[in-house]
Amino acid sequence: QLTMSLNSSTLLNEENAQGAKRNTECLESLELQTPSSFQDNPLQQLQLASQEVLEKAKKSGRSKCPRCNSSRMFYCYTCFVPVETVPTKEIPTVKLPLKIDIIKHPNETDGKSTAVHAKLLAPEDVTIYKYPCIPEYEEKRHEVALIFPGPNSVSVQDIAFHLQKYTKKGVCASDDDCSREPLLKQAKIEPEEEKNPNECISNSRSKGTGLKKIIFIDSTWNQTNKIITDERLQGLLQIELKTRKTCFWRHQKGKPDTYLSTIEAIYYFLVDYHQEILKESYKGQYDNLLFFFSFMHSLIKDAKCCGGKE
């Protein structure tokens, strides 16, 4: 569930070094492969918005961040905004059924983190904190869970059962919390078929477990101990994703392939939550969370192919 991401400038330098001729040969060879050869790559099945804007930005090279004026590729990983050559209106926006807090290790390299993808694509629902500046979660334990593997971690399917112990003995932390039950009953009366997709996803927060927020830790696996042992995270329900395999190009050696990058963990959790907890069929509602990730995955795969590494 933790992350490192792609250094875009390094990637492009590597790709350009292969030469136009070899790049063309590589792409032609990929096009000749049958669809069955991509079955092991779930990224091929995503329902994504057009990535033409990223293709154009790749060709034009690095551009300025509109906020800090730093030279970046695709987006600024410190300001969490697209660069000047990537118009915000051409970047998809994803509405999430839960709020997400990402706790970033202070030593995690900003340019290698996929956490920024979540903030770029779901800005209203994602908040990134740099450790040790994180919220207090104790009074919200009945509606918050932490994605992290461990001996006490539970599966997504078991969230409702395990969260009950917090709900039953929890007290209202605010007036907003105390009014949650009437809102639940009112939401159930409204016919879902008359709402647009974003409204349905927003209202789905009221369904099922009472879960409102998910926490992800953004760091290398060797850096996680400092954060996971923080007293502010103790006592939270922990959830582990065990059935997904990473497609990350910077996967850490010696770790199982079920250890995902941050954006993969967010995406796969939401897909499972949508199906297992909300009990709704999944139709690609969160696929665009991998908008940048899938594009970069293709770039690095093509560059390695052309370099004779695959």
Side-chain angles (χ1 to χ4, degrees), residues 161 258 296:
F161 174 78
T258 53
M296 293 176 173

Side-chain angles (χ1 to χ4, degrees), residues 161-219:
F161 174 78
H162 289 278
L163 208 59
Q164 283 179 357
K165 61 183 179 181
Y166 299 112
T167 305
K168 288 180 180 179
K169 60 185 179 182
V171 295
C172 293
S174 66
D175 291 338
D176 180 63
D177 287 336
C178 293
S179 64
R180 183 172 63 243
E181 187 61 26
L183 289 177
L184 263 172
K185 294 178 179 178
Q186 183 179 4
K188 291 179 181 178
I189 298 174
E190 299 173 1
E192 291 189 8
E193 59 271 19
E194 296 180 8
K195 306 173 190 176
N196 65 45
N198 282 345
E199 288 176 340
C200 291
I201 291 174
S202 179
N203 287 332
S204 68
R205 292 176 184 171
S206 302
K207 297 180 182 180
T209 65
L211 189 65
K212 288 187 175 180
K213 180 175 288 185
I214 291 292
I215 304 168
F216 293 83
I217 298 175
D218 184 60
S219 76

